[in-house]
Amino acid sequence: MNIHEYQGKMLLRAAGVPVLEGVHCTTVDQALNAYDNLGSKVVAVKSQIHAGGRGKGTVMNPSSRATVMEGGVKIAFSKEEVNTYATNILGNLLVTIQTGDEGKIVSNLYIEAGCDIAHEYYLALLVDRDNKSVLIMASTEGGMDIEEVAEHTPELIHKVVVDGNVGLLGFQKRDLGMALGLKGGALKSFGKLLSSMYTMFCAEDCAMVEINPLVRTGADEMVALDAKISFDENAEFRHKNWDDLRDLSEEEDTEIRAKETGLSYVKLDGNIGCLVNGAGLAMATMDVIKLYGGEPANFLDVGGGADEEQVKTAFSIILEDPNVKGILVNIFGGIMRCDIIARGVIAATEALSLQVPLVVRLAGTNVDEGKAILAASTLNIHPADDLAEGAQKIVALIGGEE
Amino acid sequence: MAIWIEEDAKVLVQGITGKQGMFHADKMVEYGTNIVGGCTPGKGGQTVDLQGKPFPVWDSMTAAITETDADATVIYVPPPFAGEAIMEAADAFDSVKGEGVIVCITEGIPTLDMVKAVAYVNNRPGVRLIGPNCPGIITPGETGGAKIGIMPGHIHAKGRIGIVSKSGTLTYEAVAQTMSIDEGQSTCIGIGGDPVNGTGFIECLAAFQNDPQTEAIIMIGEIGGNAEQEAAAWAATNVTKPIVGFVAGATAPPGKRMGHAGAIISGGKGTAEEKFEAFREAGIACAMDPSELGKVLLESLKTAGLR
């Protein structure tokens, strides 16, 4: 789960990480008031969307897609400029390298005081799968795309792995700061910032905290100029405050509803809907559809213990996508029994009066009963014995409609 | 021989009084797993009926292991408490007998809880953690065997193919594929789809290489991270037995979590293409479709003179 920069900065400030004064706005008037209240001659007007590359993005009119302005983060030197930028951004589409062509409508702005920058750095905390621990990455190349830095000048990225048994140690903070060339007050400020940030990372169950840029001011203080924070959704049960931080407009509506019913759904661009049990098998089903010339419309994992009702919900979610021209059900019954799935499939196709071709592949526990139930039904269900056959059948069945 | 879990291994169930724990404990007893009891704090002294027989429940893992000399434990504890359940089991195995296998089935454990739990387990060198978010481990026997987890027992048969996979249902698919060419399994391990887990591919490959019963290996990965690439590179110089591989997620879009918390392509890294490439470079025979694993395995066995 991602949150906006302004929300991330609230968390950072509360944790004791130095950030600049800023105000979250949703209207131009609020932005103008914010300018007056901040008392800073120079302010940054920042679009708030869950995607990077905002500064280099393009603001467009959502209907005509005409360019309104280059850049979704602007430095304003006067109230008039705040007015212009806020008007240009709010309600319009921001297209960045990370949003894809469709872009995102900007409904939130962050007006932030200016600051005297001596140097820009990069800093990130994340869970490192290789070391099975928290990894801290820092670079002197702040403000740049870190993937580019990693590719071309990996020696400029410095790393510290936190030992899960003991936590972040003093020498690790010093080593990392010195690797960045920090001295004196800046080194001290960096160490303090790192402690606060690591504590927050753990307390808030973050998956990643990325500060790009982290800046050293003229007064040798380290300040987080940006904040990209994502949470580990597995830890949602112990963070009641996440409900307030969640911006549902940033999430796919069907994906949210799927999650509420215990299904895992991701929408894709193809036309063959998939209903599968297990994440790995669901991915493999998509892959095999593609292998035999089709395009999957979605990833959908009904989980290990789905019942008739969940199967029905899964079908209705798949069918909400108007691109879907056919559905492939692929179930390897373990704990889940094939006869239950077969009944669920029949109930769902009847209730939703399914019009598109349906191929069902069942294997595992009670497979014979499941197949018998499907065979006895008068519905137009095409059986398949294995995944390859199922994929080939559904691709052939929708072939004429391409 | 098999790896880590012998056919007659003595197994405890953590969370045995819960709905999931009791359901699967019953299935394990039905399969023939040597379940010796379970642990639920606060319910010590009670018994649980599995397949019509009473099984004892202890308050603590230390007591349970001391009483039963268990070899392994399987965890069905809900996510908020699962990290601690792992650490309790690790401490108990370590202090009572210096060794033990912990299989954690639970899905949805906070990642930072797992960071702590894995560090804790790794401090106790005799203790092995499998999972979490996995189907478990099974060593099929001539009759019965040790099924520790949630996999459907009846699809398995004792044999010479070792299977290691990140995904549950894809493991079952791989098992069915071995059966389709009249091969059984030595041990099947689901290592789980979480970003931070216990036993990894390399440890499984090393154990299969050293296991006389295992003559060939199926390795199934998925997008996210680079465990598959590292395992492939390691296998190239350390594994002499034939390996057949598949990677799920070739069509997954970047930046989207595909069900498993760990199954995400981030920063263009961890793609299926990259992993298949690493497999091929290491001489692993790849199936592009899991329904072809049997066919590819048969060819590999023939090439190795094993069929």
Side-chain angles (χ1 to χ4, degrees):
Chain A
M1 170 187 161
N2 298 318
I3 59 172
H4 288 297
E5 175 197 359
Y6 77 90
Q7 298 167 320
K9 285 192 172 158
M10 267 165 29
L11 293 177
L12 288 172
R13 187 180 287 119
V17 175
V19 291
L20 300 171
E21 285 302 313
V23 182
H24 166 227
C25 312
T26 53
T27 66
V28 176
D29 281 348
Q30 286 176 359
L32 295 173
N33 280 336
Y35 179 80
D36 290 338
N37 291 337
L38 282 174
S40 168
K41 245 195 117 44
V42 183
V43 299
V45 179
K46 305 174 104 176
S47 304
Q48 300 291 293
I49 57 167
H50 290 179
R54 293 170 298 163
K56 293 187 182 111
T58 306
V59 182
M60 293 179 181
N61 182 300
S63 34
S64 71
R65 291 190 69 90
T67 299
V68 175
M69 182 171 76
E70 288 300 337
V73 174
K74 302 298 261 188
I75 305 299
F77 294 91
S78 66
K79 196 169 175 179
E80 288 67 41
E81 283 187 351
V82 171
N83 189 13
T84 309
Y85 296 145
T87 310
N88 282 350
I89 293 172
L90 280 172
N92 277 330
L93 202 60
L94 179 57
V95 179
T96 81
I97 193 159
Q98 286 185 16
T99 60
D101 277 348
E102 66 268 33
K104 278 182 174 170
I105 298 281
V106 187
S107 319
N108 294 285
L109 277 181
Y110 193 53
I111 309 292
E112 194 175 55
C115 124
D116 159 30
I117 301 173
H119 190 85
E120 296 191 351
Y121 304 85
Y122 172 92
L123 178 66
L125 280 73
L126 64 154
V127 176
D128 178 39
R129 304 161 70 126
D130 296 340
N131 291 297
K132 301 178 181 186
S133 193
V134 177
L135 173 75
I136 305 178
M137 272 199 317
S139 171
T140 47
E141 308 304 290
M144 315 241 307
D145 178 6
I146 197 65
E147 265 105 32
E148 296 245 317
V149 179
E151 199 177 319
H152 301 297
T153 47
E155 69 279 5
L156 296 177
I157 297 181
H158 310 282
K159 295 177 181 176
V160 159
V161 176
V162 182
D163 185 325
N165 288 302
V166 292
L168 181 62
L169 299 168
F171 77 88
Q172 293 183 304
K173 295 183 281 183
R174 285 194 303 274
D175 283 356
L176 197 60
M178 287 187 291
L180 296 177
L182 299 174
K183 296 192 274 286
L187 186 61
K188 245 191 189 153
S189 170
F190 180 75
K192 219 171 137 237
L193 174 139
L194 219 47
S195 294
S196 307
M197 217 143 99
Y198 176 74
T199 306
M200 184 204 81
F201 187 92
C202 298
E204 295 291 333
D205 276 297
C206 296
M208 186 172 84
V209 175
E210 190 179 42
I211 310 293
N212 191 18
L214 168 76
V215 302
R216 174 164 54 84
T217 65
D220 260 1
E221 197 197 4
M222 304 302 285
V223 177
L225 215 59
D226 192 12
K228 196 170 160 191
I229 296 182
S230 63
F231 297 132
D232 167 20
E233 304 215 11
N234 283 355
E236 196 170 358
F237 65 83
R238 58 187 175 209
H239 296 282
K240 300 292 170 233
N241 62 323
W242 288 4
D243 276 346
D244 303 329
L245 295 173
R246 192 179 276 274
D247 181 350
L248 291 175
S249 71
E250 287 277 351
E251 295 173 34
E252 186 87 34
D253 176 52
T254 40
E255 289 175 18
I256 301 167
R257 268 185 301 126
K259 205 178 145 210
E260 279 166 3
T261 44
L263 308 168
S264 180
Y265 171 87
V266 177
K267 194 185 165 322
L268 303 168
D269 298 328
N271 54 11
I272 299 176
C274 317
L275 190 164
V276 189
N277 67 328
L281 191 59
M283 279 188 271
T285 303
M286 293 164 23
D287 299 348
V288 173
I289 286 173
K290 175 107 178 171
L291 189 68
Y292 293 111
E295 286 289 341
N298 65 274
F299 166 95
L300 196 158
D301 171 12
V302 290
D307 53 24
E308 222 177 279
E309 199 49 42
Q310 269 173 311
V311 172
K312 207 174 129 189
T313 312
F315 265 101
S316 67
I317 283 174
I318 291 172
L319 288 168
E320 276 175 36
D321 178 353
N323 294 331
V324 170
K325 299 280 184 280
I327 298 177
L328 173 60
V329 174
N330 182 22
I331 301 290
F332 202 115
I335 299 321
M336 185 185 267
R337 285 160 38 197
C338 290
D339 51 329
I340 292 183
I341 289 294
R343 281 199 195 91
V345 167
I346 288 175
T349 46
E350 278 173 347
L352 301 162
S353 41
L354 187 79
Q355 303 293 327
V356 298
L358 173 65
V359 174
V360 179
R361 181 267 177 146
L362 298 174
T365 309
N366 291 4
V367 60
D368 295 333
E369 291 92 321
K371 282 184 175 172
I373 290 167
L374 291 180
S377 106
T378 53
L379 296 162
N380 191 18
I381 299 173
H382 305 265
D385 284 329
D386 66 22
L387 177 50
E389 188 195 339
Q392 284 162 348
K393 270 194 175 168
I394 192 68
V395 170
L397 281 165
I398 67 152
E401 303 178 39
E402 276 292 277
Chain B
M1 271 297 282
I3 71 168
W4 301 324
I5 296 293
E6 297 301 326
E7 286 172 39
D8 57 353
K10 294 190 283 290
V11 181
L12 287 165
V13 179
Q14 282 170 270
I16 195 168
T17 55
K19 189 178 158 213
Q20 290 288 322
M22 204 182 295
F23 176 82
H24 289 291
D26 188 74
K27 293 276 176 201
M28 287 188 278
V29 171
E30 183 185 36
Y31 184 75
T33 309
N34 186 10
I35 299 289
V36 293
C39 173
T40 299
K43 303 219 168 152
Q46 298 184 4
T47 59
V48 166
D49 260 19
L50 308 170
Q51 295 286 309
K53 281 188 296 188
F55 287 80
V57 180
W58 284 273
D59 276 321
S60 82
M61 282 301 287
T62 301
I65 295 168
T66 307
E67 293 291 324
T68 61
D69 190 38
D71 303 300
T73 179
V74 55
I75 298 176
Y76 295 97
V77 171
F81 316 107
E84 186 162 326
I86 292 170
M87 293 190 272
E88 182 186 352
D91 180 60
F93 276 127
D94 182 60
S95 57
V96 177
K97 54 190 291 184
E99 61 179 359
V101 175
I102 303 166
V103 180
C104 185
I105 306 301
T106 311
E107 174 177 2
I109 304 176
T111 308
L112 290 175
D113 289 6
M114 280 314 302
V115 166
K116 238 185 259 170
V118 167
Y120 193 90
V121 169
N122 289 348
N123 263 356
R124 289 156 179 78
V127 179
R128 167 171 306 285
L129 170 65
I130 295 170
N133 191 10
C134 77
I137 178 168
I138 183 168
T139 295
E142 297 294 352
T143 54
K147 159 179 138 76
I148 308 181
I150 57 174
M151 64 290 277
H154 64 90
I155 64 169
H156 299 80
K158 184 171 180 171
R160 57 176 178 170
I161 311 299
I163 300 179
V164 54
S165 166
K166 270 185 181 174
S167 145
T169 38
L170 263 182
T171 315
Y172 313 160
E173 199 75 58
V175 168
Q177 285 290 309
T178 61
M179 301 297 277
S180 75
I181 59 160
D182 297 319
E183 292 287 345
Q185 309 87 41
S186 52
T187 300
C188 308
I189 310 156
I191 60 171
D194 274 1
V196 175
N197 62 359
T199 299
F201 281 118
I202 294 178
E203 291 157 281
C204 296
L205 293 177
F208 282 136
Q209 173 68 18
N210 291 329
D211 171 37
Q213 187 188 332
T214 304
E215 294 186 29
I217 302 162
I218 296 182
M219 171 158 77
I220 297 183
E222 61 189 32
I223 53 163
N226 63 349
E228 288 85 353
Q229 295 90 313
E230 284 179 359
W234 186 87
T237 47
N238 296 287
V239 180
T240 54
K241 297 174 183 180
I243 308 178
V244 171
F246 174 76
V247 180
T251 45
K256 282 278 190 182
R257 167 175 157 168
M258 307 303 279
H260 284 157
I264 182 163
I265 298 169
S266 39
K269 295 274 192 266
T271 64
E273 196 185 341
E274 207 179 298
K275 291 172 192 244
F276 270 122
E277 191 50 43
F279 277 14
R280 285 191 200 100
E281 265 173 40
I284 295 171
C286 294
M288 296 311 287
D289 166 356
S291 359
E292 288 187 342
L293 280 166
K295 206 175 88 189
V296 178
L297 176 63
L298 184 60
E299 283 161 19
S300 295
L301 290 172
K302 281 180 179 162
T303 312
L306 295 167
R307 280 284 281 255

